[in-house]
Amino acid sequence: MEMSVRARIRAGDPDTFGSLFDDYARAVYNHAFRLTGDWSTAEDVLSLTFLEAWRLRETVDPDGGSLRPWLLGIATNTARNTRRAARRHEAAVSRLPRAEALPDFAEGLVSRIDDAAQVAALRAALSLLRRPEREVVALCVWSGLDYATAAQALGIPVGTVRSRLSRARKKLHKYAGTGLPAENGNSHPGRGQAEGDRIPAVRRTQEETR
């Protein structure tokens, strides 16, 4: 009998793990960018997520469907740890003598400006939320996970996801007017909605719908 993808991942099959990266790297990268608002940091989170996924491969449930929620859960924790490390680094740098500012001659950023500006505006609104609320918005609204799958990704009860997302919606509607879809009893937030009702996704691709 042929082994399932999950069984091959658990067994550490490198070809299967390579295919996993090909299938979900863009979805993980987009999720990381939405959480961090920085292209370079998102690239770091992407790399660290798959390193951590390899380390945790034996914890994959043998039964189940897509491994995307599992990867997004790892990416969420990785982004969280990366932010902590960045804050420690910034605190250390702030104690150093200031160096003379040099002009930035970086090229090739034009195609990123619009997306970065859009996400910066959204992150400004999301800064009103507590970190756990931002994470459920990223998973349920941006990445389209249902409550149960988001709960599995974050390792928390389904009811906690519901309450966090409900609080997030109320805060964003009150303070930012972001256009998050209101609660309507749908157990699959982010699905079956008109495109205009969603927070715009950055670099949305077919991989994210898997």
Side-chain angles (χ1 to χ4, degrees), residues 121-122 124-126 128 170-179:
L122 292 171
L126 291 173
L128 298 166
K170 290 177 181 177
K171 289 180 181 179
L172 290 173
H173 277 294
K174 179 177 180 180
Y175 297 115
T178 60

Side-chain angles (χ1 to χ4, degrees), residues 47-120:
S47 300
L48 292 171
T49 294
F50 278 91
L51 285 173
E52 185 70 359
W54 176 259
R55 189 181 71 83
L56 297 174
R57 62 189 182 277
E58 294 182 359
T59 67
V60 171
D61 193 328
D63 301 315
S66 168
L67 285 168
R68 180 170 169 261
W70 177 65
L71 290 170
L72 293 183
I74 294 175
T76 300
N77 291 329
T78 300
R80 191 183 303 162
N81 294 335
T82 300
R83 284 196 298 271
R84 292 194 188 108
R87 285 195 294 268
R88 290 194 294 268
H89 175 74
E90 290 169 1
V93 170
S94 68
R95 293 192 290 270
L96 298 175
R98 290 186 177 274
E100 182 181 354
L102 297 175
D104 183 4
F105 297 105
E107 299 180 355
L109 299 179
V110 175
S111 63
R112 296 183 174 186
I113 290 176
D114 289 342
D115 283 347
Q118 182 182 72
V119 170

Side-chain angles (χ1 to χ4, degrees), residues 3-10 20 24 59-70 149 152 210:
M3 296 176 66
S4 68
V5 171
R6 285 173 173 261
R8 293 197 297 272
I9 291 293
R10 285 173 57 89
L20 187 74
Y24 298 115
T59 67
V60 171
D61 193 328
D63 301 315
S66 168
L67 285 168
R68 180 170 169 261
W70 177 65
T149 309
Q152 179 184 6
R210 296 183 182 180

Side-chain angles (χ1 to χ4, degrees), residues 142-180:
W142 273 334
S143 292
L145 299 190
D146 59 34
Y147 294 130
T149 309
Q152 179 184 6
L154 294 172
I156 59 178
V158 174
T160 302
V161 172
R162 290 178 179 271
S163 61
R164 288 180 183 176
L165 188 59
S166 178
R167 288 197 300 269
R169 293 175 193 274
K170 290 177 181 177
K171 289 180 181 179
L172 290 173
H173 277 294
K174 179 177 180 180
Y175 297 115
T178 60
L180 277 182

